[in-house]
């Protein structure tokens, strides 16, 4: 069903290129390691944040200072997520995976 929808969508909205030349360049592994996803998030009162349906809690000795702090969520290619506050790595604890809106498809088992 999805391939048919894609074909129909492309037929309706697709445009042919002026030149059929593929100008994309290949990327090696080292270049992929340089690419990072950066997102700013605000911690809750209990030092939690949600990123891609996963709930994380910050582990710190000074929790009162971190409440509602602005943090950076950093994700690099094939690396675990990193959370930083004022340029320093924070220790995180994975609390739970939340189902996306509408729940997980029945074919996915956690």
């Amino acid at each position: 069903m999805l391939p048919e929808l894609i074909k129909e969508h492309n037929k309706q909205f697709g445009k042919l290129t002026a030149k059929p030349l593929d100008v994309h360049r290949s990327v090696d592994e080292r270049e992929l390691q340089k690419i990072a996803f950066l997102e700013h998030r605000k911690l809750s009162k209990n030092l939690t944040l949600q990123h891609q349906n996963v709930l994380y809690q910050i582990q710190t000795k000074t929790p009162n200072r971190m409440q509602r702090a602005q943090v950076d969520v950093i994700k690099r290619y094939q690396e675990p997520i990193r959370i930083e506050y004022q340029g320093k790595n924070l220790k995180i604890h994975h609390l739970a995976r939340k189902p996306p809106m509408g729940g997980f498809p029945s074919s996915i088992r956690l």
Side-chain angles (χ1 to χ4, degrees), residues 59-63:
Q59 305 293 309
T60 180
K61 293 179 182 177
T62 56

Side-chain angles (χ1 to χ4, degrees), residues 46-108:
N46 56 358
L47 305 183
T48 60
L49 67 89
Q50 184 178 338
H51 176 70
Q52 294 185 341
N53 296 322
V54 179
L55 193 62
Y56 297 96
Q57 186 171 41
I58 304 302
Q59 305 293 309
T60 180
K61 293 179 182 177
T62 56
N64 291 341
R65 292 184 193 172
M66 297 291 299
Q67 290 179 348
R68 295 190 172 87
Q70 179 97 10
V71 295
D72 296 327
V73 177
I74 301 168
K75 175 70 176 126
R76 290 188 185 274
Y77 176 71
Q78 292 185 341
E79 288 183 14
I81 149 179
R82 221 172 63 224
I83 299 176
E84 292 183 356
Y85 175 67
Q86 296 179 343
K88 295 181 183 172
N89 252 352
L90 297 174
K91 186 176 177 183
I92 59 175
H93 177 67
H94 174 267
L95 289 179
R97 179 167 175 77
K98 295 177 119 185
M101 289 183 70
F104 288 116
S106 59
S107 62
I108 296 178

Side-chain angles (χ1 to χ4, degrees), residues 16-22:
L16 295 175
T17 60
K19 297 178 184 176
L21 177 67
D22 184 7

